[in-house]
Amino acid sequence: MNRLEFSFGNAVGHFQKTGGPKGFLWKFALTYALFAIIVQGLSLYLMAPIYAAAFNPIVMEDPDVMDQVMLENMGRVLLGYLVSFVFGILMWVLFEAASQRRYMRAEGFGLKFGGDEGRLLVVGLFWLGLIIALYIVMFLLMIVPITIGAVLGSDGAIIAGLLTFVLFIAYFVAAIWIVVRFSPAGAMTIRDRKIRFGSAWRVTKGKVWTLIGSWLVLALIMMAIIMALYLVFAVMAMLALMPAFLSGSDDPAVVLAAFASPAFIIPAIIFGLVYLAFAGGMMHVFGGPAALAAKTDPNWADPNAMDDTFA
């Protein structure tokens, strides 16, 4: 099978066929996990008083005390959410740029903030606008069956219900279709070093179902691995917490002490690290199908560069 041919098999496994220096995926995944831990750790530090109160049996039993703790730390909580939001966007820009440079230019792993990242940030704003528009359309569509139900009264309840169901399914399919049509926007932006969004619609013509199918397969694989990780952690957590539950004690401090024990904390840390690294790796893997659509664009002005990335 031609590695540059846009097909289901190539789309699913495109992350393995990018060319370039070896070791990209594991470097990407581990660095993503490290960044995620730093961001979440900073957010956790800012929200620490709230978490401490939530796990304090005395505070938990008194809603007034809990409300007082919330009011006293409202500034830290809001700052924690702001940190998560801002650094979350920054992480997406940095890692998405690194991922697409690999796909479109066969570069090794590296994070920086330059022209690629700036252009991707604009593309992200386009995505935000599209998502907001889709939500507005969904809201407007829901007004139709609600209006019919209000006009017809109880006699129109069944009609309104059926219409709501039909409109929801139709809208859901249409929304997915639209999102998939624009999915190569980031890859094309990195490819051309220019902001591309509308042109992604042309690139995905005739490729939508292949893209959806490849993402479904990747999602099923991801879900199976995540379920296996959760199962292993659940068994380890159960073994760590079982003595506290079998003791028959009604004291919440006994249960909290079990959660704070090394037998629970160490597996939880390992699980968190593995989970975050896996999530980072899948971010890159999921970008493969749309990147392949951009790479196999017949109107790409530099087809020789396309072939060079697979040398």
Side-chain angles (χ1 to χ4, degrees):
M1 182 182 293
N2 188 339
R3 299 172 77 185
L4 286 180
E5 175 188 358
F6 185 84
S7 64
F8 175 78
N10 280 345
V12 171
H14 185 49
F15 70 97
Q16 298 177 309
K17 307 171 184 178
T18 58
K22 303 296 182 182
F24 178 90
L25 186 58
W26 69 264
K27 293 177 183 177
F28 186 98
L30 291 179
T31 308
Y32 182 93
L34 177 62
F35 270 63
I37 289 171
I38 293 173
V39 173
Q40 292 183 16
L42 182 57
S43 177
L44 181 63
Y45 167 75
L46 292 170
M47 298 186 182
I50 303 301
Y51 290 120
F55 283 97
N56 187 325
I58 298 176
V59 176
M60 291 171 62
E61 293 175 359
D62 191 337
D64 293 333
V65 175
M66 188 64 187
D67 291 341
Q68 183 64 31
V69 172
M70 286 290 296
L71 289 173
E72 291 175 353
N73 295 278
M74 185 61 67
R76 291 187 61 154
V77 172
L78 293 177
L79 184 58
Y81 281 117
L82 181 62
V83 165
S84 298
F85 178 74
V86 172
F87 281 90
I89 293 175
L90 180 61
M91 276 188 63
W92 176 81
V93 169
L94 290 174
F95 283 90
E96 178 68 8
S99 176
Q100 295 302 340
R101 277 195 295 267
R102 175 67 168 190
Y103 282 124
M104 307 312 298
R105 304 176 195 163
E107 294 185 9
F109 176 71
L111 298 178
K112 59 182 180 179
F113 197 88
D116 287 335
E117 288 73 18
R119 288 184 286 268
L120 274 182
L121 182 59
V122 176
V123 171
L125 293 176
F126 278 115
W127 274 115
L128 179 62
L130 177 61
I131 292 171
I132 292 174
L134 289 173
Y135 271 110
I136 292 174
V137 171
M138 180 178 66
F139 174 76
L140 294 176
L141 284 176
M142 290 301 101
I143 293 177
V144 176
I146 292 174
T147 303
I148 292 177
V151 171
L152 298 180
S154 58
D155 295 334
I158 296 177
I159 297 175
L162 290 174
L163 184 57
T164 300
F165 177 76
V166 171
L167 285 175
F168 175 78
I169 296 299
Y171 171 81
F172 185 73
V173 172
I176 290 178
W177 184 273
I178 291 171
V179 169
V180 173
R181 291 302 300 266
F182 289 112
S183 59
M188 295 176 68
T189 296
I190 297 297
R191 183 193 74 184
D192 299 340
R193 292 181 169 87
K194 294 181 180 179
I195 297 171
R196 302 289 190 217
F197 195 82
S199 3
W201 186 274
R202 170 185 55 79
V203 170
T204 51
K205 183 179 180 180
K207 301 175 181 177
V208 172
W209 294 116
T210 303
L211 286 168
I212 292 176
S214 62
W215 280 320
L216 284 175
V217 169
L218 290 172
L220 289 173
I221 295 173
M222 181 187 73
M223 289 172 59
I225 295 175
I226 288 177
M227 288 178 64
L229 289 175
Y230 270 110
L231 180 61
V232 172
F233 174 68
V235 171
M236 298 179 70
M238 182 178 65
L239 293 175
L241 300 176
M242 188 176 295
F245 288 108
L246 292 179
S247 67
S249 174
D250 295 330
D251 187 359
V254 175
V255 178
L256 292 175
F259 277 102
S261 67
F264 178 83
I265 291 178
I266 292 175
I269 292 174
I270 295 174
F271 169 78
L273 289 171
V274 174
Y275 181 88
L276 289 173
F278 179 71
M282 290 308 298
M283 174 185 176
H284 177 66
V285 171
F286 267 86
L292 181 61
K295 187 169 285 291
T296 55
D297 176 10
N299 293 330
W300 187 5
D302 191 6
N304 292 327
M306 177 174 63
D307 293 332
D308 290 342
T309 63
F310 286 85

